[in-house]
Every structure is written in structure tokens, then in C-alpha cells.
Amino acid sequence: MNNVTNLIYREPSAPVADRVADLLERMTIEEKLGQMMQIDRRYLHDEAHLATFHLGSLLSGGGSAPEPNDAKTWADMVDRFQRVALSTRLGIPLLYGTDAVHGHNNLYGATIFPHNIGLGAANDPELMRQIGEATAVEIRATGPRWTFAPCLAVARNERWGRTYESAGEHPALALTVAKLVTALQGETITPASMLATAKHYVGDGGTTGGVDQGDTELPEEELRAIHLPPFVDAIAAGVGSIMVSYSSWNGALLHGNAYLLNDLLKGELGFDGFVVSDWAGINALDGDPGFSASDVATAVEAGIDMIMVPELYEEMFALLMQVVASGAISQERIDDAVVRILRKKFELGLFENPFADRALAPEINSAAHRALARRAVRSSLVLLKNEQSLLPLAKDGLKIFVAGENADSLGHQCGGWTLTWQGGSGPTVPGTSILDGIREVAGSANTVDFAADGVGADGHDVAIVVVGEEPYAEFSGDRRAPDTLGLGDDDLRVAERVAASGVPTVAVLVSGRPLVITEQLAHWDALVIAWLPGAEGGGVADVLFEEATPTGKLPHSWPRTAEQVPINVGDADYDPLFAFGFGLAYE
Ligand code: GLC
């Protein structure tokens, strides 16, 4: 940091508005434009460029982590970047963001909570608060002060690859997830806060056909009724940033939609934080690949304050300078964007405390956080069938047969956005697989045999078949028509083999969405929906053996056939296999 002293913007006791005004006045156009750019750490090919291009924000997108991927290396990395930023003429600190969407999931060893679809089934505001607070601690210990959460999507078509990032098909469930804003930030944004992001504004979960980044074709009245309410709540809770959706509304890309961004979000709803684009989200505006002067001008004039570039920052900087020089973006708009960004940096106390809070590191994946995650798993499970009260299982004397790849794959039970963008298979993160949870809870009083392929069920008292989906994220997870939305071939073979044994069967579904299982259901005596429970798979066994009774309710209408999709509560001729809000308890 240079030798600037006794300047208002450096005075912690001065009102934020005064500090912002004082700093803005001192800034060159280069310094202002740098604040409006966000780069993924992977593409910063010279750390000195943080100063050269006056960059105001860095991010860790899905899977963007230092090597080794541990808390100290994260903190060293973020602090090192911060020192470069603080060495500049005005010493404006960086705001570092990361996708912590079900725990600090880019960090190896973080507590991995259930994805939002399971939290929608739990629908417990107090649980959301505790998850948000625990997640904020684990993020802060490693340096970032901004997470791109909560996702407030209202998923209306389960073909969408991001259905699991939504709390469900009804906006009321997204209101529960919106409680994460206060959990992360507190009642107001202070130096103790983790900056939250309400995303993706607006209508990301309403596209025709459930196509990711597709077109939400709705009259404004329905867009406002279904997709806007969680953003209204998030703004009322003081959310500091809002991320724009890649999708379109009636054919117009959100990233260039001045009516929805300027008039509705910032005008009518009075949002006073800053609007960040999605990853390279402005590039599509002119219909050509890459970003252009018109992309930049359209996006910023429409109301985007910070551009998640996220890669070619030298080109973006030059383009921004060119666009401003041409007058295509007004000085007033630039100043408004920079004021919105600086206001959050001052409120977060970044000028006084820019570095990682390393003292919090022992709380990462602490026993308390893991217990919270396990409780969240228990609360998220939905019991859909329980013939002859097969569940809960007796706690002794049972010969139990467990089958299915998803029983023994932490990667599958965590889903996407876990250590990598798309997630993975096998023991990707520390935690408890569903199988290990069953072995732990069943203990020595029972025998537990496992065969992923389902061979060998005969002679057992009960079979537990764990089927569902492999991980995915975003468009990779779209299952577009005429996909039957059913189980994969391996799972179907496992289900058939176990059904052929005649052994009473509990099916456990590990998936990011409802799947069409109507045909298989006839061979299952009990069915438990576990969604994407995260790393504490023991929570599933807790419910199977009645350490906890099932309380979850369906956040989605469960289709009989793929042809029924989209099917949402309130539809005419509504005839799902299981209705929105359905869930059994133990008798
Ligand atoms: C992604 C996602 C968004 C995420 C961002 C940064 O493409 O759409 O949810 O926060 O980029 O990783």
C-alpha cells in the first residue's frame, strides 16, 4: 500500500457513503473500469496484472482451486493476490468470490451439505440458517469473502440440468433457501459478513423444455408470480450481489435486458447492491462468439455492474477503455457501477481486514459441521412408499444386502459442484458413503453384504438398492426430450436382479431430480428419496434404522411418465405418481 494517509476513504469511522464518494473522486477511468472486471484465478497468467489492470475481483469457478487444495494454500493464495491489489496507488482490496453452493465445495475437506433440492424437501429455515453460517466460516477461513449462493431458481421442468440447484417447483421453497442470505451476511453487511449472491436473475428454472440457458416464455405476470418472489425476499434481506441468468425471457437475453435489470431490479425493487454477469454471460449478446464492444456496451448500459469476464482480461480492459472513449457507456453509468461495488467492499470491511481469517481453519469439516450436514441429510429424505412398514429396519439380527453403485460412491451422492465443476465418482471427498453409513448404524448386531451389481441378494432378510444418477452440472445435466428420465441400464439390471431374488426391498434414489421409476416401483416394498445428500451419507442410514423418522416432503411433483413433464402443482388435470408436498412418516 502506498503512503496515502488521513484520507476520508481510509477512515474506518467515516460513513460508507463518504468513503465511497472520496475514493471515487480520486479514481482514474482505468481504476474504475478495473473494478468492474472479475477474472477466474486460473487465467491470471501474471499476478502483477492485478495491479496493471487494476482488477477488482477474482473468482474460483467450479473446481478452480490451488494445488495442494487445502485451507492454508487457499489462504496463502488469496492473501498473496490481496497484497498485490493493496500495493496499487489507491490500495483498493480485491473481492474474491467462489461457488460455495453446498458447503465450500471447491475446497478439499470442506463440509459438503445436501444440494438445494434436498433442502427444499426439508424446507427448514432454521436449518438453512445453520448451514449458511457454517459455510461462511469455512469460506472465510480460506480467504474469499463472497459466495455465488443462494441459487433461487424455481425449477419448473425437471429435464433441466440444474434442477438440483433449485429448492423445487414452487417459489415458496425458494423463499426458504433465500434465508441463506441472512445466514451468510447477517442482518446487514458488516466486516463479519460473507457476501451472498442471489442467482440467477430471473427465470433460469422456467425455460421451455428445461433447456439450460434457454428461453423462459412466460407473460410478465407469471414471471413475476413464479420466479421473482425469492429475489424480492433476498433484496429485503439485504443481499449484496445478484447474478444474471444466462437464459432469455421471451427471446431477449437477460444479460442485455435493461427493463428487467435497470427498471425492475434496480428501479422498482430498489436493489442497491451490484449486479454481476454470469461466466462470460455477456458474450452471447451480439450473437457472435467472444465478447465485443457492443456486448460490453449493451450489458453495462442494461445494468450489469461487474463483468465475470472470466479469462481474457487484457482484451476486456482494452475494450472497456475503447467503449467508454466512444461514449457508448456514460461516465454516470460507470460511476454508478463502481459506487455499487465499492460500497460492498467498504461494508465488508475489506479495507481494514482484507486477509483470510486463518483462526477459523479448525472449524473446517469440524465434528459440529459434519453433524449439521448429517442432520440436514435426515431432514431432506422423503419416504414415498413403505409396504407392511418394512421401514424402519430392525436394529439387530438382520442379514442386509446392499446393491447399486450409488451406495458406495461419495462422488455420486455429492453430485456436481463438488471439488470439480461436474463432480466425480468414487471417494472424491472425505465423508461417509451411504453403504458405510448403513454398516455404521447397523453395527455388529446385523450383517451387511454389498454387491454393486446386485448379484447375491437371495438368502438375505432385506435388500437396499441404491440407484439414481451420476454427477453433472449445468447444461451437461440436461435430459432433453425424448429422454425417458428413467434409470440407467446398470441400475435397471441391479433392480431386476434384486427383484428376481424375491427379497423385501428398500429402494433409495440418489439423483438431482425426480426420475421415472413407475415400472420399478411395483418391485420395491419401500422407496426413500435421498436427492444429492452430500458427504454425510450416514444420515440416510439414520432414517432407514429410525435414528430419525422421515419428515421430508416432495419439492417436485413426481411424474408417472416422461411425457407428463413439465408437471407442476396447480396444473389442470394434475395426475402425478406422487404429488408435490407428499411424504410419508413412520407409523
Ligand atoms: C457458472 C454458473 C454460475 C456460477 C458461475 C461461476 O457458469 O452459471 O452459477 O456461479 O458460472 O462459476
Side-chain angles (χ1 to χ4, degrees):
M1 190 180 322
N2 47 50
N3 60 355
V4 288
T5 55
N6 70 18
L7 302 173
I8 294 175
Y9 86 90
R10 289 229 159 275
E11 178 43 62
S13 63
V16 165
D18 296 355
R19 300 181 77 180
V20 170
D22 178 55
L23 179 52
L24 185 74
E25 195 181 345
R26 301 173 188 280
M27 293 171 77
T28 63
I29 185 62
E30 290 84 356
E31 289 162 335
K32 292 178 180 179
L33 295 178
Q35 288 300 308
M36 295 173 66
M37 291 167 59
Q38 182 182 58
I39 316 302
D40 185 290
R41 50 165 285 284
R42 286 170 285 201
Y43 305 116
L44 183 67
H45 48 84
D46 179 344
E47 293 186 2
H49 286 172
L50 286 169
T52 314
F53 296 95
H54 316 284
L55 296 175
S57 180
L58 286 175
L59 83 138
S60 281
S64 178
E67 279 300 325
N69 185 347
D70 58 38
K72 179 184 183 310
T73 310
W74 269 85
D76 290 346
M77 170 188 75
V78 176
D79 288 357
R80 190 176 65 250
F81 291 150
Q82 201 60 283
R83 286 192 185 88
V84 177
L86 296 172
S87 72
T88 56
R89 184 175 75 89
L90 294 170
I92 303 173
L94 282 173
L95 180 56
Y96 195 107
T98 187
D99 284 288
V101 294
H102 63 137
H104 186 6
N105 42 258
N106 275 332
L107 169 69
Y108 181 83
T111 308
I112 303 296
F113 292 94
H115 270 293
N116 283 345
I117 191 168
L119 300 179
N123 195 21
D124 179 344
E126 174 57 17
L127 179 64
M128 290 311 305
R129 183 187 66 77
Q130 293 174 28
I131 289 172
E133 290 183 355
T135 303
V137 165
E138 297 197 17
I139 301 169
R140 188 168 187 139
T142 61
R145 292 290 309 278
W146 179 19
T147 176
F148 307 127
C151 177
L152 299 179
V154 180
R156 303 287 286 172
N157 186 319
E158 293 80 12
R159 290 184 176 281
W160 188 36
R162 306 192 75 165
T163 295
Y164 68 83
E165 294 184 66
S166 159
E169 68 187 37
H170 194 289
L173 297 176
L175 299 186
T176 298
V177 171
K179 303 290 184 193
L180 212 59
V181 171
T182 304
L184 291 163
Q185 297 185 161
E187 292 303 320
T188 58
I189 296 176
T190 71
S193 299
M194 179 58 59
L195 189 70
T197 310
K199 75 182 187 182
H200 310 81
Y201 180 85
V202 64
D204 52 349
T207 61
T208 302
V211 173
D212 188 41
Q213 305 185 18
D215 192 7
T216 298
E217 297 172 279
L218 287 177
E220 181 167 348
E221 182 187 355
E222 283 187 49
L223 183 76
R224 285 174 173 261
I226 298 169
H227 299 284
L228 198 60
F231 288 93
V232 173
D233 270 29
I235 292 167
V239 70
S241 70
I242 288 181
M243 186 182 293
V244 183
S245 176
Y246 283 120
S247 56
S248 299
W249 176 45
N250 296 334
L253 284 166
L254 262 292
H255 274 77
N257 199 310
Y259 169 67
L260 292 177
L261 296 176
N262 280 332
D263 302 347
L264 176 52
L265 182 60
K266 293 182 174 179
E268 181 182 327
L269 299 181
F271 176 60
D272 68 353
F274 65 87
V275 175
V276 61
S277 78
D278 202 335
W279 182 283
I282 72 167
N283 295 13
L285 287 171
D286 64 357
D288 295 331
F291 50 74
S292 63
S294 69
D295 289 333
V296 169
T298 303
V300 174
E301 282 300 305
I304 286 176
D305 303 306
M306 183 185 286
I307 298 170
M308 187 186 293
V309 181
E311 183 177 348
L312 304 173
Y313 54 90
E314 291 123 314
E315 290 83 344
M316 178 59 77
F317 187 81
L319 202 56
L320 275 165
M321 289 295 288
Q322 171 197 324
V323 170
V324 170
S326 73
I329 303 178
S330 68
Q331 278 299 337
E332 293 70 27
R333 178 72 269 276
I334 297 290
D335 286 354
D336 172 55
V338 174
V339 161
R340 288 170 177 269
I341 293 164
L342 292 180
R343 191 155 53 210
K344 296 310 155 195
K345 290 189 174 184
F346 281 116
E347 291 172 359
L348 287 167
L350 282 174
F351 285 78
E352 287 72 45
N353 292 298
F355 300 117
D357 194 343
R358 297 169 190 253
L360 297 174
E363 297 195 49
I364 296 171
N365 210 231
S366 66
H369 287 185
R370 280 184 278 113
L372 172 62
R374 186 163 179 155
R375 178 155 57 85
V377 174
R378 293 198 294 262
S379 299
S380 67
L381 266 54
V382 182
L383 178 64
L384 293 183
K385 183 177 180 182
N386 192 21
E387 295 294 306
Q388 282 84 45
S389 298
L390 177 62
L391 292 176
L393 299 175
K395 292 182 183 172
D396 57 26
L398 282 180
K399 291 189 66 179
I400 302 166
F401 181 77
V402 181
E405 186 186 1
N406 278 10
D408 189 30
S409 177
L410 267 155
H412 288 192
Q413 67 192 58
C414 288
W417 297 103
T418 310
L419 219 54
T420 62
W421 178 40
Q422 294 293 320
S425 298
T428 53
V429 294
T432 304
S433 69
I434 292 171
L435 173 62
D436 286 346
I438 291 168
R439 284 177 169 146
E440 172 204 321
V441 176
S444 56
N446 301 281
T447 59
V448 178
D449 298 320
F450 172 64
D453 62 6
V455 174
D458 44 341
H460 288 81
D461 299 310
V462 64
I464 302 173
V465 179
V466 186
V467 292
E469 292 187 303
E470 297 188 2
Y472 49 79
E474 302 193 54
F475 42 83
S476 308
D478 280 4
R479 293 183 65 166
R480 299 188 186 174
D483 180 315
T484 61
L485 287 171
L487 294 175
D489 292 343
D490 290 349
D491 277 347
L492 289 173
R493 268 191 296 279
V494 171
E496 283 159 16
R497 283 183 186 129
V498 173
S501 73
V503 172
T505 299
V506 178
V508 177
L509 204 64
V510 173
S511 69
R513 56 170 51 101
L515 296 177
V516 174
I517 43 83
T518 311
E519 194 178 322
Q520 292 73 35
L521 185 61
H523 303 289
W524 295 336
D525 302 279
L527 173 59
V528 174
I529 311 301
W531 312 109
L532 296 173
E536 299 307 319
V540 175
D542 290 344
V543 169
L544 297 180
F545 289 89
E546 200 178 18
E547 298 294 311
T549 57
T551 54
K553 303 298 179 192
L554 282 183
H556 283 278
S557 309
W558 202 281
R560 294 178 185 280
T561 66
E563 289 68 31
Q564 280 193 316
V565 177
I567 176 170
N568 295 298
V569 62
D571 287 353
D573 307 326
Y574 181 69
D575 179 31
L577 184 62
F578 298 104
F580 172 85
F582 179 75
L584 297 173
Y586 290 149
E587 287 148 14

